[in-house]
Amino acid sequence: MLRTRIRAGPLAGFVLSVLFAALFAVLCVGELLIPSLAPEMGEPAPLTLRVPYGPRIVRDTHDGSFTLSYEHARVIVPRGTVLSEHNEDHDAAMAYETVRRMRQPGLGARVASTYVIYLIVCLMLTVYLRRFGQNRVRLLRTQVGMFVLMTGSLIVAKLLLLFTALPEFWMPVAALPLWVAIAFDRRTAFLVEVGVAFIAASLLRFDVVLLSVLLVRGIAATMFFFKRKGSRQLLVAGSLAGLAGAIGFVALTVLFEGGFDLVADLKRWLGSNVLACIGGGLIVGVLGRGLREPAERAMGHVPRDKLLDLTDLEQPLLKKMAAEAPGSWEHARAMANLAEASAAAIGADALLTRVGAYYHDLGKTVQPKYFIENLAPGERSPHEDLDPEVSADAIMAHVVMGTKILREGNIPEPVVEFAYTHHGTQVVEYFWHKCVEQGNPKDLTQEHFRYPGMKPQTKETAILMLVDSIEAASRTIWPPEHKKFEEMIQRVMFSKLASGQLDQSGLTIEDLRIMTSRMASTLVNMYHGRIKYPWQRESDRAGHTPAPPTATPRPTTPTPVPPSGAVGRDGSAAPPPASTARGAAAAAPAVRDDAGGATKDESPAESVRTPKKTH
């Protein structure tokens, strides 16, 4: 049985949470554990000293009264500054550092508490990804990559706090949720943003204003990113996110302090908090665009540039398929158009779906003559001399061999996944029924005729499974009307639903409805009619052999189906199409026979040549 990439189970999620929570805790308080980094009065500050935003109790020297106020100008003592007892900012920074370093007993408890908080955040993230995220974010490789990128973002934030005097709002941690939104979905990106913003704010004693700005900026970045194809859109999203963060900062300041002097803030240039909010958003857009490819690779996603390279028809594996299995290659190309349109209609990764369609049947190059589309007209099928179980093994082998060839060819695993999921765990129905009709002399079970792959795990692979059947069945529909195509598509989809092949794909009923409409329209356009040429009309009037129908030739004589109904191209049972060539489907749906009964990809009756074909 073929397996996909390793998924992160409860134990793996717990281990990840424990390890990365410890890493985040060290990152948060690491400098406190190094005595040489402790600041001393009269000495240059080894690191930038910061006092987080918060309320302060101020005493009026005239009447002795106390008031609670918020200090808008955060205390930032740049690294290398000689600390003086006569400077109020230095005094405040030293007082804060003294409390923070806890020279008295208590540092261990503080570090342990920080670790527990981080562990809770990490566990929430891993549990969500495992139980509620789409299938791709449940993979161990994806979750490890996500945590590694989160660690990298926090390291950049920590370095900014310790070695620069810039406002903390320059932290570009929103780049991570932006990458997650590009590679996966916005819901996962929102949760990742909450986690990374919370941990980043904890680096400055859980500064509430910093946390709020980071949340607003990160969520806005994922909301304003609309097009996966356009890299420039990342810069636009970052800019708008920075503007949203600046507005949020001003609103919070007015809420806490009762007012905000924008002009005075802007005059501080690099020390301006408003400019830091906007500039941090711009940096997010730049990093999002510049590091997009390595970030996607780290999370196990195939970058768009790599997918475009794989669509090049000069790619060696595609040339191999075109030369050794030309019929299968043409079928794959026809599938690619239909699958890409369907994926785009429901918001799935259309380019990945197209690439998967190109490569999914590469295993047929090993024994191409076992599949009817690769036989010359009148050529005898090798299945005529084989037992049903042997024929089934030959058909099912293309899934295993295709996966092997693709992996040896260093094709990205998300593309390889199409090879071992496009038939799911279906049974090669045709040969199973043939075995039963022969009396099943070897006492075989359906498991001997079941594909060794796995059910589709993503919307993209599920789309390909459906299209593999629908594209083949569409050849039997005549006339090519929208309603007839819709009926056929619905029958195919229902057969996959009934057999449980779509259970793990993430497709919704709404997705299926949208896909039905889009595929029906696409098929109508593919098989549209043409006006006959003058020589064809003259030939008709002269009584010569009539020209074929104006759309696509159809078989004239359907072959009876096995007792279970129509047989698909992969040998599995499939629902009869709505209509077949010349009205023959009223009696029995046309079935493509692989010159020996072998069927091809699980479509309801398919064919332009003979009944059914094998996969």
Side-chain angles (χ1 to χ4, degrees), residues 307-308 310-313 317-318 321 328-329 331-337 340 351-362 406 415 418 464:
L307 290 176
L308 290 174
L310 292 175
T311 60
D312 187 352
L313 300 186
L317 291 179
L318 295 185
M321 187 173 183
S328 299
W329 169 234
H331 165 64
R333 294 178 66 184
M335 283 178 57
N337 294 328
E340 184 178 36
L351 182 57
L352 176 62
T353 309
R354 168 174 282 277
V355 174
Y358 279 166
Y359 289 87
H360 80 286
D361 266 347
L362 197 65
L406 290 171
V415 178
F418 286 88
L464 189 72

PDB file of all heavy atoms in Angstrom, residues 307-308 310-313 317-318 321 328-329 331-337 340 351-362 406 415 418 464:
ATOM      1  N   LEU A 307       6.616  24.993 -10.329  1.00  0.00           N
ATOM      2  CA  LEU A 307       5.488  24.398 -11.051  1.00  0.00           C
ATOM      3  C   LEU A 307       5.490  24.818 -12.515  1.00  0.00           C
ATOM      4  O   LEU A 307       5.199  24.008 -13.409  1.00  0.00           O
ATOM      5  CB  LEU A 307       4.172  24.815 -10.386  1.00  0.00           C
ATOM      6  CG  LEU A 307       3.882  24.219  -9.005  1.00  0.00           C
ATOM      7  CD1 LEU A 307       2.597  24.797  -8.433  1.00  0.00           C
ATOM      8  CD2 LEU A 307       3.779  22.700  -9.089  1.00  0.00           C
ATOM      9  N   LEU A 308       5.820  26.067 -12.778  1.00  0.00           N
ATOM     10  CA  LEU A 308       5.881  26.527 -14.168  1.00  0.00           C
ATOM     11  C   LEU A 308       6.970  25.787 -14.927  1.00  0.00           C
ATOM     12  O   LEU A 308       6.798  25.448 -16.109  1.00  0.00           O
ATOM     13  CB  LEU A 308       6.129  28.036 -14.210  1.00  0.00           C
ATOM     14  CG  LEU A 308       4.961  28.915 -13.745  1.00  0.00           C
ATOM     15  CD1 LEU A 308       5.376  30.381 -13.686  1.00  0.00           C
ATOM     16  CD2 LEU A 308       3.759  28.759 -14.691  1.00  0.00           C
ATOM     17  N   LEU A 310       7.832  22.749 -14.413  1.00  0.00           N
ATOM     18  CA  LEU A 310       7.343  21.390 -14.648  1.00  0.00           C
ATOM     19  C   LEU A 310       6.318  21.321 -15.779  1.00  0.00           C
ATOM     20  O   LEU A 310       6.030  20.240 -16.289  1.00  0.00           O
ATOM     21  CB  LEU A 310       6.732  20.825 -13.363  1.00  0.00           C
ATOM     22  CG  LEU A 310       7.711  20.549 -12.221  1.00  0.00           C
ATOM     23  CD1 LEU A 310       6.963  20.106 -10.967  1.00  0.00           C
ATOM     24  CD2 LEU A 310       8.724  19.486 -12.620  1.00  0.00           C
ATOM     25  N   THR A 311       5.736  22.455 -16.156  1.00  0.00           N
ATOM     26  CA  THR A 311       4.789  22.449 -17.273  1.00  0.00           C
ATOM     27  C   THR A 311       5.487  22.532 -18.628  1.00  0.00           C
ATOM     28  O   THR A 311       4.829  22.405 -19.663  1.00  0.00           O
ATOM     29  CB  THR A 311       3.800  23.631 -17.163  1.00  0.00           C
ATOM     30  OG1 THR A 311       4.531  24.865 -17.193  1.00  0.00           O
ATOM     31  CG2 THR A 311       3.004  23.558 -15.867  1.00  0.00           C
ATOM     32  N   ASP A 312       6.790  22.743 -18.624  1.00  0.00           N
ATOM     33  CA  ASP A 312       7.545  22.823 -19.872  1.00  0.00           C
ATOM     34  C   ASP A 312       7.502  21.463 -20.569  1.00  0.00           C
ATOM     35  O   ASP A 312       7.920  20.445 -20.009  1.00  0.00           O
ATOM     36  CB  ASP A 312       8.994  23.224 -19.573  1.00  0.00           C
ATOM     37  CG  ASP A 312       9.792  23.502 -20.846  1.00  0.00           C
ATOM     38  OD1 ASP A 312       9.282  23.240 -21.961  1.00  0.00           O
ATOM     39  OD2 ASP A 312      10.936  23.978 -20.724  1.00  0.00           O
ATOM     40  N   LEU A 313       7.006  21.431 -21.781  1.00  0.00           N
ATOM     41  CA  LEU A 313       6.870  20.166 -22.506  1.00  0.00           C
ATOM     42  C   LEU A 313       8.218  19.564 -22.882  1.00  0.00           C
ATOM     43  O   LEU A 313       8.276  18.422 -23.355  1.00  0.00           O
ATOM     44  CB  LEU A 313       6.024  20.373 -23.771  1.00  0.00           C
ATOM     45  CG  LEU A 313       4.592  20.877 -23.521  1.00  0.00           C
ATOM     46  CD1 LEU A 313       3.812  20.892 -24.818  1.00  0.00           C
ATOM     47  CD2 LEU A 313       3.886  20.018 -22.484  1.00  0.00           C
ATOM     48  N   LEU A 317      10.723  13.906 -18.362  1.00  0.00           N
ATOM     49  CA  LEU A 317       9.693  12.917 -18.062  1.00  0.00           C
ATOM     50  C   LEU A 317       8.469  13.087 -18.959  1.00  0.00           C
ATOM     51  O   LEU A 317       7.838  12.096 -19.354  1.00  0.00           O
ATOM     52  CB  LEU A 317       9.297  13.011 -16.586  1.00  0.00           C
ATOM     53  CG  LEU A 317      10.358  12.554 -15.573  1.00  0.00           C
ATOM     54  CD1 LEU A 317       9.836  12.717 -14.153  1.00  0.00           C
ATOM     55  CD2 LEU A 317      10.762  11.104 -15.831  1.00  0.00           C
ATOM     56  N   LEU A 318       8.128  14.326 -19.286  1.00  0.00           N
ATOM     57  CA  LEU A 318       6.999  14.543 -20.193  1.00  0.00           C
ATOM     58  C   LEU A 318       7.352  14.087 -21.605  1.00  0.00           C
ATOM     59  O   LEU A 318       6.504  13.522 -22.311  1.00  0.00           O
ATOM     60  CB  LEU A 318       6.597  16.020 -20.183  1.00  0.00           C
ATOM     61  CG  LEU A 318       6.039  16.568 -18.864  1.00  0.00           C
ATOM     62  CD1 LEU A 318       5.579  18.011 -19.040  1.00  0.00           C
ATOM     63  CD2 LEU A 318       4.892  15.704 -18.360  1.00  0.00           C
ATOM     64  N   MET A 321       6.993  10.361 -21.679  1.00  0.00           N
ATOM     65  CA  MET A 321       5.607   9.908 -21.772  1.00  0.00           C
ATOM     66  C   MET A 321       5.048  10.128 -23.173  1.00  0.00           C
ATOM     67  O   MET A 321       4.346   9.274 -23.724  1.00  0.00           O
ATOM     68  CB  MET A 321       4.756  10.637 -20.737  1.00  0.00           C
ATOM     69  CG  MET A 321       3.337  10.109 -20.633  1.00  0.00           C
ATOM     70  SD  MET A 321       2.429  10.849 -19.267  1.00  0.00           S
ATOM     71  CE  MET A 321       0.865   9.950 -19.402  1.00  0.00           C
ATOM     72  N   SER A 328      -1.816   7.959 -23.704  1.00  0.00           N
ATOM     73  CA  SER A 328      -1.969   8.389 -22.312  1.00  0.00           C
ATOM     74  C   SER A 328      -1.576   9.848 -22.151  1.00  0.00           C
ATOM     75  O   SER A 328      -2.173  10.582 -21.348  1.00  0.00           O
ATOM     76  CB  SER A 328      -1.103   7.516 -21.396  1.00  0.00           C
ATOM     77  OG  SER A 328      -1.498   6.162 -21.475  1.00  0.00           O
ATOM     78  N   TRP A 329      -0.575  10.285 -22.904  1.00  0.00           N
ATOM     79  CA  TRP A 329      -0.130  11.673 -22.826  1.00  0.00           C
ATOM     80  C   TRP A 329      -1.209  12.625 -23.333  1.00  0.00           C
ATOM     81  O   TRP A 329      -1.483  13.658 -22.729  1.00  0.00           O
ATOM     82  CB  TRP A 329       1.158  11.849 -23.611  1.00  0.00           C
ATOM     83  CG  TRP A 329       1.597  13.262 -23.828  1.00  0.00           C
ATOM     84  CD1 TRP A 329       1.881  13.862 -25.015  1.00  0.00           C
ATOM     85  CD2 TRP A 329       1.827  14.262 -22.829  1.00  0.00           C
ATOM     86  NE1 TRP A 329       2.259  15.169 -24.832  1.00  0.00           N
ATOM     87  CE2 TRP A 329       2.237  15.440 -23.492  1.00  0.00           C
ATOM     88  CE3 TRP A 329       1.698  14.287 -21.449  1.00  0.00           C
ATOM     89  CZ2 TRP A 329       2.526  16.621 -22.816  1.00  0.00           C
ATOM     90  CZ3 TRP A 329       1.988  15.465 -20.767  1.00  0.00           C
ATOM     91  CH2 TRP A 329       2.401  16.608 -21.452  1.00  0.00           C
ATOM     92  N   HIS A 331      -4.384  12.035 -23.361  1.00  0.00           N
ATOM     93  CA  HIS A 331      -5.450  12.022 -22.350  1.00  0.00           C
ATOM     94  C   HIS A 331      -5.086  12.931 -21.178  1.00  0.00           C
ATOM     95  O   HIS A 331      -5.935  13.679 -20.665  1.00  0.00           O
ATOM     96  CB  HIS A 331      -5.671  10.592 -21.870  1.00  0.00           C
ATOM     97  CG  HIS A 331      -6.465  10.476 -20.602  1.00  0.00           C
ATOM     98  ND1 HIS A 331      -7.776  10.865 -20.498  1.00  0.00           N
ATOM     99  CD2 HIS A 331      -6.108  10.034 -19.371  1.00  0.00           C
ATOM    100  CE1 HIS A 331      -8.209  10.666 -19.268  1.00  0.00           C
ATOM    101  NE2 HIS A 331      -7.209  10.159 -18.561  1.00  0.00           N
ATOM    102  N   ALA A 332      -3.838  12.894 -20.748  1.00  0.00           N
ATOM    103  CA  ALA A 332      -3.401  13.728 -19.634  1.00  0.00           C
ATOM    104  C   ALA A 332      -3.509  15.207 -19.978  1.00  0.00           C
ATOM    105  O   ALA A 332      -3.897  16.024 -19.135  1.00  0.00           O
ATOM    106  CB  ALA A 332      -1.958  13.377 -19.258  1.00  0.00           C
ATOM    107  N   ARG A 333      -3.188  15.576 -21.192  1.00  0.00           N
ATOM    108  CA  ARG A 333      -3.280  16.975 -21.611  1.00  0.00           C
ATOM    109  C   ARG A 333      -4.737  17.438 -21.628  1.00  0.00           C
ATOM    110  O   ARG A 333      -5.051  18.570 -21.232  1.00  0.00           O
ATOM    111  CB  ARG A 333      -2.643  17.157 -22.978  1.00  0.00           C
ATOM    112  CG  ARG A 333      -1.147  16.926 -22.994  1.00  0.00           C
ATOM    113  CD  ARG A 333      -0.567  17.065 -24.375  1.00  0.00           C
ATOM    114  NE  ARG A 333      -0.684  18.433 -24.870  1.00  0.00           N
ATOM    115  CZ  ARG A 333      -0.322  18.817 -26.092  1.00  0.00           C
ATOM    116  NH1 ARG A 333       0.176  17.933 -26.940  1.00  0.00           N
ATOM    117  NH2 ARG A 333      -0.447  20.062 -26.453  1.00  0.00           N
ATOM    118  N   ALA A 334      -5.616  16.581 -22.096  1.00  0.00           N
ATOM    119  CA  ALA A 334      -7.042  16.944 -22.100  1.00  0.00           C
ATOM    120  C   ALA A 334      -7.554  17.098 -20.668  1.00  0.00           C
ATOM    121  O   ALA A 334      -8.322  18.014 -20.356  1.00  0.00           O
ATOM    122  CB  ALA A 334      -7.847  15.884 -22.845  1.00  0.00           C
ATOM    123  N   MET A 335      -7.108  16.213 -19.797  1.00  0.00           N
ATOM    124  CA  MET A 335      -7.495  16.309 -18.387  1.00  0.00           C
ATOM    125  C   MET A 335      -7.004  17.604 -17.762  1.00  0.00           C
ATOM    126  O   MET A 335      -7.687  18.207 -16.932  1.00  0.00           O
ATOM    127  CB  MET A 335      -6.921  15.126 -17.606  1.00  0.00           C
ATOM    128  CG  MET A 335      -7.644  13.815 -17.787  1.00  0.00           C
ATOM    129  SD  MET A 335      -6.813  12.520 -16.848  1.00  0.00           S
ATOM    130  CE  MET A 335      -6.863  13.213 -15.197  1.00  0.00           C
ATOM    131  N   ALA A 336      -5.793  18.016 -18.133  1.00  0.00           N
ATOM    132  CA  ALA A 336      -5.170  19.185 -17.506  1.00  0.00           C
ATOM    133  C   ALA A 336      -6.033  20.430 -17.680  1.00  0.00           C
ATOM    134  O   ALA A 336      -6.211  21.211 -16.738  1.00  0.00           O
ATOM    135  CB  ALA A 336      -3.776  19.410 -18.076  1.00  0.00           C
ATOM    136  N   ASN A 337      -6.572  20.620 -18.878  1.00  0.00           N
ATOM    137  CA  ASN A 337      -7.406  21.801 -19.124  1.00  0.00           C
ATOM    138  C   ASN A 337      -8.661  21.789 -18.257  1.00  0.00           C
ATOM    139  O   ASN A 337      -9.040  22.797 -17.655  1.00  0.00           O
ATOM    140  CB  ASN A 337      -7.786  21.870 -20.599  1.00  0.00           C
ATOM    141  CG  ASN A 337      -6.593  22.098 -21.495  1.00  0.00           C
ATOM    142  OD1 ASN A 337      -5.626  22.763 -21.127  1.00  0.00           O
ATOM    143  ND2 ASN A 337      -6.626  21.526 -22.693  1.00  0.00           N
ATOM    144  N   GLU A 340      -7.702  22.124 -14.412  1.00  0.00           N
ATOM    145  CA  GLU A 340      -7.258  23.465 -14.046  1.00  0.00           C
ATOM    146  C   GLU A 340      -8.440  24.418 -13.929  1.00  0.00           C
ATOM    147  O   GLU A 340      -8.518  25.212 -12.988  1.00  0.00           O
ATOM    148  CB  GLU A 340      -6.271  23.993 -15.079  1.00  0.00           C
ATOM    149  CG  GLU A 340      -5.683  25.348 -14.740  1.00  0.00           C
ATOM    150  CD  GLU A 340      -4.681  25.823 -15.764  1.00  0.00           C
ATOM    151  OE1 GLU A 340      -4.897  25.554 -16.969  1.00  0.00           O
ATOM    152  OE2 GLU A 340      -3.689  26.458 -15.380  1.00  0.00           O
ATOM    153  N   LEU A 351      -2.673  25.761 -10.812  1.00  0.00           N
ATOM    154  CA  LEU A 351      -1.422  25.385 -11.480  1.00  0.00           C
ATOM    155  C   LEU A 351      -0.924  24.034 -10.982  1.00  0.00           C
ATOM    156  O   LEU A 351      -0.468  23.198 -11.772  1.00  0.00           O
ATOM    157  CB  LEU A 351      -0.367  26.469 -11.257  1.00  0.00           C
ATOM    158  CG  LEU A 351       0.987  26.241 -11.941  1.00  0.00           C
ATOM    159  CD1 LEU A 351       0.814  26.072 -13.443  1.00  0.00           C
ATOM    160  CD2 LEU A 351       1.932  27.389 -11.635  1.00  0.00           C
ATOM    161  N   LEU A 352      -0.996  23.793  -9.688  1.00  0.00           N
ATOM    162  CA  LEU A 352      -0.599  22.494  -9.147  1.00  0.00           C
ATOM    163  C   LEU A 352      -1.465  21.387  -9.728  1.00  0.00           C
ATOM    164  O   LEU A 352      -0.966  20.293 -10.043  1.00  0.00           O
ATOM    165  CB  LEU A 352      -0.708  22.514  -7.627  1.00  0.00           C
ATOM    166  CG  LEU A 352      -0.426  21.190  -6.909  1.00  0.00           C
ATOM    167  CD1 LEU A 352       1.012  20.733  -7.154  1.00  0.00           C
ATOM    168  CD2 LEU A 352      -0.688  21.318  -5.402  1.00  0.00           C
ATOM    169  N   THR A 353      -2.748  21.650  -9.897  1.00  0.00           N
ATOM    170  CA  THR A 353      -3.656  20.651 -10.457  1.00  0.00           C
ATOM    171  C   THR A 353      -3.286  20.335 -11.898  1.00  0.00           C
ATOM    172  O   THR A 353      -3.310  19.173 -12.314  1.00  0.00           O
ATOM    173  CB  THR A 353      -5.110  21.145 -10.376  1.00  0.00           C
ATOM    174  OG1 THR A 353      -5.389  21.568  -9.037  1.00  0.00           O
ATOM    175  CG2 THR A 353      -6.077  20.048 -10.762  1.00  0.00           C
ATOM    176  N   ARG A 354      -2.945  21.340 -12.673  1.00  0.00           N
ATOM    177  CA  ARG A 354      -2.521  21.108 -14.059  1.00  0.00           C
ATOM    178  C   ARG A 354      -1.251  20.258 -14.108  1.00  0.00           C
ATOM    179  O   ARG A 354      -1.165  19.305 -14.890  1.00  0.00           O
ATOM    180  CB  ARG A 354      -2.291  22.447 -14.775  1.00  0.00           C
ATOM    181  CG  ARG A 354      -1.577  22.314 -16.127  1.00  0.00           C
ATOM    182  CD  ARG A 354      -1.496  23.616 -16.862  1.00  0.00           C
ATOM    183  NE  ARG A 354      -2.770  23.932 -17.494  1.00  0.00           N
ATOM    184  CZ  ARG A 354      -3.157  23.452 -18.674  1.00  0.00           C
ATOM    185  NH1 ARG A 354      -2.388  22.634 -19.349  1.00  0.00           N
ATOM    186  NH2 ARG A 354      -4.315  23.799 -19.170  1.00  0.00           N
ATOM    187  N   VAL A 355      -0.284  20.601 -13.282  1.00  0.00           N
ATOM    188  CA  VAL A 355       0.961  19.841 -13.269  1.00  0.00           C
ATOM    189  C   VAL A 355       0.696  18.397 -12.845  1.00  0.00           C
ATOM    190  O   VAL A 355       1.244  17.446 -13.423  1.00  0.00           O
ATOM    191  CB  VAL A 355       1.985  20.506 -12.328  1.00  0.00           C
ATOM    192  CG1 VAL A 355       3.237  19.647 -12.197  1.00  0.00           C
ATOM    193  CG2 VAL A 355       2.362  21.885 -12.854  1.00  0.00           C
ATOM    194  N   GLY A 356      -0.154  18.216 -11.838  1.00  0.00           N
ATOM    195  CA  GLY A 356      -0.497  16.866 -11.414  1.00  0.00           C
ATOM    196  C   GLY A 356      -1.143  16.060 -12.518  1.00  0.00           C
ATOM    197  O   GLY A 356      -0.879  14.855 -12.667  1.00  0.00           O
ATOM    198  N   ALA A 357      -1.979  16.699 -13.333  1.00  0.00           N
ATOM    199  CA  ALA A 357      -2.610  16.010 -14.463  1.00  0.00           C
ATOM    200  C   ALA A 357      -1.572  15.575 -15.491  1.00  0.00           C
ATOM    201  O   ALA A 357      -1.677  14.496 -16.083  1.00  0.00           O
ATOM    202  CB  ALA A 357      -3.648  16.929 -15.109  1.00  0.00           C
ATOM    203  N   TYR A 358      -0.568  16.393 -15.710  1.00  0.00           N
ATOM    204  CA  TYR A 358       0.479  16.031 -16.667  1.00  0.00           C
ATOM    205  C   TYR A 358       1.237  14.773 -16.240  1.00  0.00           C
ATOM    206  O   TYR A 358       1.598  13.943 -17.071  1.00  0.00           O
ATOM    207  CB  TYR A 358       1.479  17.178 -16.799  1.00  0.00           C
ATOM    208  CG  TYR A 358       1.044  18.304 -17.719  1.00  0.00           C
ATOM    209  CD1 TYR A 358       1.711  19.521 -17.719  1.00  0.00           C
ATOM    210  CD2 TYR A 358      -0.032  18.160 -18.582  1.00  0.00           C
ATOM    211  CE1 TYR A 358       1.333  20.559 -18.552  1.00  0.00           C
ATOM    212  CE2 TYR A 358      -0.433  19.183 -19.412  1.00  0.00           C
ATOM    213  CZ  TYR A 358       0.255  20.393 -19.396  1.00  0.00           C
ATOM    214  OH  TYR A 358      -0.126  21.416 -20.226  1.00  0.00           O
ATOM    215  N   TYR A 359       1.500  14.641 -14.960  1.00  0.00           N
ATOM    216  CA  TYR A 359       2.430  13.608 -14.495  1.00  0.00           C
ATOM    217  C   TYR A 359       1.756  12.389 -13.875  1.00  0.00           C
ATOM    218  O   TYR A 359       2.437  11.397 -13.587  1.00  0.00           O
ATOM    219  CB  TYR A 359       3.391  14.209 -13.464  1.00  0.00           C
ATOM    220  CG  TYR A 359       4.395  15.166 -14.050  1.00  0.00           C
ATOM    221  CD1 TYR A 359       4.088  16.521 -14.216  1.00  0.00           C
ATOM    222  CD2 TYR A 359       5.654  14.744 -14.453  1.00  0.00           C
ATOM    223  CE1 TYR A 359       4.992  17.411 -14.763  1.00  0.00           C
ATOM    224  CE2 TYR A 359       6.571  15.623 -14.999  1.00  0.00           C
ATOM    225  CZ  TYR A 359       6.233  16.961 -15.147  1.00  0.00           C
ATOM    226  OH  TYR A 359       7.145  17.838 -15.698  1.00  0.00           O
ATOM    227  N   HIS A 360       0.452  12.421 -13.644  1.00  0.00           N
ATOM    228  CA  HIS A 360      -0.167  11.374 -12.838  1.00  0.00           C
ATOM    229  C   HIS A 360      -0.120   9.991 -13.468  1.00  0.00           C
ATOM    230  O   HIS A 360      -0.112   8.978 -12.758  1.00  0.00           O
ATOM    231  CB  HIS A 360      -1.621  11.755 -12.517  1.00  0.00           C
ATOM    232  CG  HIS A 360      -2.576  11.487 -13.636  1.00  0.00           C
ATOM    233  ND1 HIS A 360      -2.635  12.276 -14.778  1.00  0.00           N
ATOM    234  CD2 HIS A 360      -3.518  10.518 -13.807  1.00  0.00           C
ATOM    235  CE1 HIS A 360      -3.569  11.803 -15.578  1.00  0.00           C
ATOM    236  NE2 HIS A 360      -4.121  10.752 -15.026  1.00  0.00           N
ATOM    237  N   ASP A 361      -0.092   9.892 -14.779  1.00  0.00           N
ATOM    238  CA  ASP A 361      -0.115   8.594 -15.459  1.00  0.00           C
ATOM    239  C   ASP A 361       1.243   8.190 -16.014  1.00  0.00           C
ATOM    240  O   ASP A 361       1.317   7.363 -16.927  1.00  0.00           O
ATOM    241  CB  ASP A 361      -1.133   8.619 -16.603  1.00  0.00           C
ATOM    242  CG  ASP A 361      -2.496   8.087 -16.168  1.00  0.00           C
ATOM    243  OD1 ASP A 361      -2.571   7.483 -15.083  1.00  0.00           O
ATOM    244  OD2 ASP A 361      -3.472   8.280 -16.902  1.00  0.00           O
ATOM    245  N   LEU A 362       2.308   8.740 -15.464  1.00  0.00           N
ATOM    246  CA  LEU A 362       3.632   8.450 -16.009  1.00  0.00           C
ATOM    247  C   LEU A 362       3.986   6.971 -15.887  1.00  0.00           C
ATOM    248  O   LEU A 362       4.798   6.455 -16.659  1.00  0.00           O
ATOM    249  CB  LEU A 362       4.682   9.303 -15.297  1.00  0.00           C
ATOM    250  CG  LEU A 362       6.032   9.436 -15.996  1.00  0.00           C
ATOM    251  CD1 LEU A 362       5.870  10.179 -17.325  1.00  0.00           C
ATOM    252  CD2 LEU A 362       7.026  10.175 -15.119  1.00  0.00           C
ATOM    253  N   LEU A 406       8.551   9.126 -10.589  1.00  0.00           N
ATOM    254  CA  LEU A 406       8.497  10.544 -10.218  1.00  0.00           C
ATOM    255  C   LEU A 406       9.442  10.856  -9.056  1.00  0.00           C
ATOM    256  O   LEU A 406      10.123  11.882  -9.059  1.00  0.00           O
ATOM    257  CB  LEU A 406       7.064  10.933  -9.852  1.00  0.00           C
ATOM    258  CG  LEU A 406       6.070  10.970 -11.020  1.00  0.00           C
ATOM    259  CD1 LEU A 406       4.654  11.158 -10.512  1.00  0.00           C
ATOM    260  CD2 LEU A 406       6.416  12.070 -11.997  1.00  0.00           C
ATOM    261  N   VAL A 415       3.384  16.881  -6.165  1.00  0.00           N
ATOM    262  CA  VAL A 415       3.042  16.456  -7.524  1.00  0.00           C
ATOM    263  C   VAL A 415       2.982  14.935  -7.589  1.00  0.00           C
ATOM    264  O   VAL A 415       2.094  14.358  -8.233  1.00  0.00           O
ATOM    265  CB  VAL A 415       4.062  17.010  -8.537  1.00  0.00           C
ATOM    266  CG1 VAL A 415       3.729  16.524  -9.946  1.00  0.00           C
ATOM    267  CG2 VAL A 415       4.078  18.536  -8.503  1.00  0.00           C
ATOM    268  N   PHE A 418      -0.324  13.054  -6.777  1.00  0.00           N
ATOM    269  CA  PHE A 418      -1.375  12.827  -7.773  1.00  0.00           C
ATOM    270  C   PHE A 418      -1.282  11.421  -8.354  1.00  0.00           C
ATOM    271  O   PHE A 418      -2.294  10.844  -8.744  1.00  0.00           O
ATOM    272  CB  PHE A 418      -1.271  13.858  -8.899  1.00  0.00           C
ATOM    273  CG  PHE A 418      -1.727  15.237  -8.511  1.00  0.00           C
ATOM    274  CD1 PHE A 418      -0.851  16.138  -7.934  1.00  0.00           C
ATOM    275  CD2 PHE A 418      -3.041  15.638  -8.719  1.00  0.00           C
ATOM    276  CE1 PHE A 418      -1.261  17.413  -7.581  1.00  0.00           C
ATOM    277  CE2 PHE A 418      -3.465  16.911  -8.366  1.00  0.00           C
ATOM    278  CZ  PHE A 418      -2.574  17.799  -7.783  1.00  0.00           C
ATOM    279  N   LEU A 464      -8.589  15.854  -9.660  1.00  0.00           N
ATOM    280  CA  LEU A 464      -8.008  15.033 -10.720  1.00  0.00           C
ATOM    281  C   LEU A 464      -8.688  13.670 -10.801  1.00  0.00           C
ATOM    282  O   LEU A 464      -8.929  13.151 -11.893  1.00  0.00           O
ATOM    283  CB  LEU A 464      -6.509  14.858 -10.491  1.00  0.00           C
ATOM    284  CG  LEU A 464      -5.778  14.206 -11.667  1.00  0.00           C
ATOM    285  CD1 LEU A 464      -5.679  15.184 -12.830  1.00  0.00           C
ATOM    286  CD2 LEU A 464      -4.388  13.744 -11.268  1.00  0.00           C
TER     287      LEU A 464
END
